Amino acid sequence: MTGTPEHTALWPAPIASGPVDATVTVPGSKSVTNRGLVLAALASEPGWLRRPLRSRDTLLMAEALRAMGTGIEETVSSSSGDATGGEAWRIIPAGLHGPATVDVGNAGTVMRFLPPVAALADGPIRFDGDPRSHERPLHGVIDGLRALGARIDDEGRGSLPMTVHGGGALDGGRAEIDASSSSQFVSALLLSAPRFNQGIELRHVGRALPSMPHIRMTVDMLRAAGAAVDTPEAGGEPGVWRVAHSALLGRDLVVEPDLSNAQPFLAAALVTGGRVTIPDWPEHTTQPGDALRGIFTEMGGSCELTADGLTFTGTGRVHGIDVDLGDVGELTPGIAAVAALADSESVLRGVAHLRLHETDRLAALTKEINELGGDVSETEDGLRIRPRPLHGGIFHTYDDHRLATAAAVIGLRVEGVEVENVATTAKTLPDFPRLWTEMLGPARAAAPARKG
């Protein structure tokens, strides 16, 4: 936590004076945008990303790739009617090279996806970032790269800061890693694997893998770019992924809306008994956020998916839920916020790995909801939430975007919630406060004046 005005400012969360009724256009997926950038930078020909997410995490990824020699040209067509104003990025692969310094911020995708790319560069690439990035695990990527022939100087930390001494190529081959603390370790090594001289045979050893939909997203995007990938789900050996050496195609990729970032808006419909439509919700997707359709329906709403998008409708009642979120852990803060407003107890399981995310999300949610009068306790692998009448107060975010949006959801029903550092939402959801107040509309939102 810093003492700058941006971090200490308190945002009075608007109260909903009635059911919401809105259409909210959600920006593009961070997960798809950053995977698309990496694959395009490694391709054998130029490609396009259309409707990319422009946020702190994606801009850090783009700047890092530029620093290593990739050309990225940004264009905007004001005549387009899509959500980004027709924004498109043309990615022009070039010889990857150092020396360069990469600022990862606190972006897991940047700190984990780019060291394998750096191993293919000609020269040293130094990685550093926000103080919290030094605490986040990176050992799976480091151990895997060393097994594949890379030279990395991390002074034995298994975390940032570190330098990857790229040799212009990487042998590849077999590697064993423990990815139980982050599925991004697997995705990181798979994304660059087609460029390794021998491809990769990657074996996960350890506890169950979290966030499997994100690995499936990586595999699907690799295959769409021309890579040959053998996976456990496709009849391969359990816990083993194989990617053959090959050239990658330059694609013209339209980025889906970020379904996880749609969560607070769908939650608003649920907790106010209203209705929210998210345009362009895909019929088929590997995004974890698609699980919200089932989870929020079980908690008391209903949804309809049409050609226009997903419409979610609340009933005016919110029910507790007992759910394993191991595959969709990033949804936990928003689900916890809804559960704190429910009519019965909730148990959120399978998310012990959230203690290693942007912050310790389990400890943070417990502390902040309880300080508003809630009754949340940590379990070995999640949270137990017993609804209690809540009251206003400051909700700290710990530089975590999903803590900020969770606080906004609670603020719809609880007067006097003030969100510390709502600006942290720019990590993946730029201009969240404007989107939130526009969803509520002037007739339905009541933002209390901040005290002091």
Side-chain angles (χ1 to χ4, degrees):
M1 200 87 61
T2 73
T4 64
E6 179 183 83
H7 287 71
T8 57
L10 299 178
W11 179 67
I15 302 166
S17 59
V20 301
D21 187 358
T23 296
V24 181
T25 300
V26 178
S29 164
K30 177 201 73 173
S31 298
V32 173
T33 298
N34 275 356
R35 283 167 174 76
L37 280 169
V38 171
L39 290 171
L42 295 173
S44 59
E45 57 191 351
W48 287 90
L49 275 184
R50 303 188 188 276
R51 298 181 63 182
L53 174 66
R54 174 179 287 276
S55 72
R56 188 187 185 212
D57 280 16
T58 60
L59 293 177
L60 285 168
M61 180 69 85
E63 281 307 306
L65 290 170
R66 286 188 178 109
M68 287 189 274
T70 301
I72 301 177
E73 301 173 352
E74 302 178 22
T75 63
V76 178
S77 171
S78 60
S79 63
S80 173
D82 69 30
T84 63
E87 183 163 2
W89 296 350
R90 181 166 173 78
I91 297 93
I92 305 167
L96 297 167
H97 61 78
T101 297
V102 169
D103 176 10
V104 309
N106 192 18
T109 51
V110 181
M111 71 179 71
R112 292 165 181 155
F113 291 0
L114 288 187
V117 177
L120 297 167
D122 185 6
I125 310 293
R126 178 171 172 77
F127 290 83
D128 204 349
D130 298 351
R132 173 62 179 174
S133 73
H134 296 184
E135 302 171 9
R136 300 184 68 182
L138 200 55
H139 56 84
V141 176
I142 294 171
D143 294 347
L145 285 175
R146 283 181 174 148
L148 299 172
R151 187 161 67 95
I152 300 172
D153 178 12
D154 68 334
E155 298 182 355
R157 286 181 298 267
S159 62
L160 297 180
M162 71 178 190
T163 299
V164 179
H165 297 275
L170 193 66
D171 287 341
R174 295 182 179 181
E176 287 190 356
I177 64 170
D178 181 353
S180 54
S181 60
S182 177
S183 69
Q184 289 178 351
F185 297 164
V186 173
S187 289
L189 294 165
L190 296 184
L191 284 167
S192 293
R195 289 284 305 274
F196 301 162
N197 294 337
Q198 302 173 45
I200 196 172
E201 180 182 297
L202 181 64
R203 183 181 301 271
H204 163 64
V205 291
R207 302 186 308 276
L209 273 170
S211 305
M212 283 299 296
H214 277 131
I215 296 178
R216 287 192 284 270
M217 177 188 294
T218 296
V219 169
D220 284 358
M221 293 183 69
L222 275 164
R223 287 172 172 162
V229 186
D230 178 37
T231 70
E233 295 92 339
E237 189 177 349
V240 177
W241 291 261
R242 294 181 177 89
V243 181
H245 171 75
S246 68
L248 290 172
L249 307 174
R251 297 186 62 202
D252 192 327
L253 174 65
V254 179
V255 178
E256 297 175 352
D258 193 313
L259 306 188
S260 294
N261 278 340
Q263 181 182 36
F265 305 101
L266 300 180
L270 180 56
V271 303
T272 69
R275 179 178 61 187
V276 168
T277 297
I278 307 294
D280 302 318
W281 193 287
E283 184 176 357
H284 302 287
T285 181
T286 53
Q287 288 193 60
D290 194 46
L292 290 167
R293 291 193 286 165
I295 293 169
F296 278 172
T297 295
E298 187 174 344
M299 296 187 81
S302 63
C303 65
E304 181 182 15
L305 183 61
T306 68
D308 295 328
L310 180 76
T311 297
F312 189 86
T313 305
T315 60
R317 294 191 63 188
V318 181
H319 308 308
I321 191 171
D322 186 327
V323 62
D324 188 329
L325 299 175
D327 277 351
V328 293
E330 66 193 48
L331 305 179
T332 302
I335 294 169
V338 172
L341 302 170
D343 59 11
S344 58
E345 180 178 288
S346 293
V347 179
L348 312 184
R349 296 179 284 105
V351 288
H353 60 285
L354 294 189
R355 295 186 170 100
L356 301 171
H357 275 220
E358 280 81 345
T359 188
D360 180 340
R361 284 179 168 165
L362 300 185
L365 286 164
T366 300
K367 177 179 181 293
E368 297 307 315
I369 295 174
N370 285 350
E371 289 192 353
L372 300 182
D375 183 0
V376 181
S377 57
E378 287 191 56
T379 64
E380 181 179 353
D381 70 340
L383 298 173
R384 184 179 301 274
I385 302 169
R386 301 175 179 87
R388 296 286 186 270
L390 302 181
H391 55 72
I394 296 174
F395 196 107
H396 299 92
T397 62
Y398 310 92
D399 293 323
D400 188 328
H401 55 129
R402 300 207 192 277
L403 267 291
T405 54
V409 171
I410 293 174
L412 291 173
R413 291 261 302 269
V414 179
E415 184 172 2
V417 173
E418 297 184 293
V419 185
E420 173 264 342
N421 188 21
V422 74
T424 195
T425 53
K427 176 180 170 67
T428 62
L429 187 52
D431 213 11
F432 169 74
R434 179 187 62 81
L435 290 170
W436 195 247
T437 53
E438 287 183 354
M439 172 195 68
L440 291 167
R444 290 184 298 277
R450 178 153 46 97
K451 298 177 182 179

